Amino acid sequence: VFLLLVLYAFAITLTRGVTDYLEEDLPTATIVEAEDMFGGLFETMYTLFKCISGGLNWGVAADIMLDVGTFYFTLFILFMFFMLLCVLNLVTGVMVDG
């Protein structure tokens, strides 16, 4: 449940940033790529889940966030750092110890 709440909180912010970014006039390839990965709340949550579970190279998603803006790129990196180094290690430790 905690993982889902963290995913949801970050997804709301990142989706809002990408939505603002998509309102600008951009090359078609950039729009399609950003919209596929971060176009809506579900797509963003799915992309974030794939990044933390190994289903998607998180560098690909980070490159899109770098195009969106430095704040959103930094937020994405902080999400990955927090999820991979803190939360998932904590869950693994509880499973192994229990």
Side-chain angles (χ1 to χ4, degrees):
V1 176
F2 179 68
L3 291 173
L4 187 62
L5 290 174
V6 172
L7 252 159
Y8 182 71
F10 276 92
I12 289 172
T13 307
L14 294 176
T15 302
R16 181 62 188 156
V18 171
T19 303
D20 291 343
Y21 173 72
L22 292 175
E23 291 176 357
E24 302 171 5
D25 292 329
L26 304 167
T28 308
T30 306
I31 290 175
V32 170
E33 193 174 37
E35 199 167 46
D36 285 346
M37 296 177 91
F38 300 100
L41 186 59
F42 176 77
E43 288 87 359
T44 304
M45 288 181 70
Y46 183 58
T47 299
L48 294 177
F49 178 74
K50 287 192 303 185
C51 288
I52 64 171
S53 64
L56 175 69
N57 183 356
W58 64 269
V60 173
D63 289 341
I64 293 172
M65 284 295 127
L66 189 57
D67 289 340
V68 172
T70 308
F71 172 75
Y72 297 105
F73 174 75
T74 305
L75 188 67
F76 180 79
I77 297 299
L78 288 174
F79 168 79
M80 291 302 299
F81 177 79
F82 179 71
M83 290 300 284
L84 293 177
L85 298 179
C86 300
V87 175
L88 293 179
N89 282 331
L90 179 68
V91 170
T92 303
V94 168
M95 297 281 188
V96 170
D97 194 36

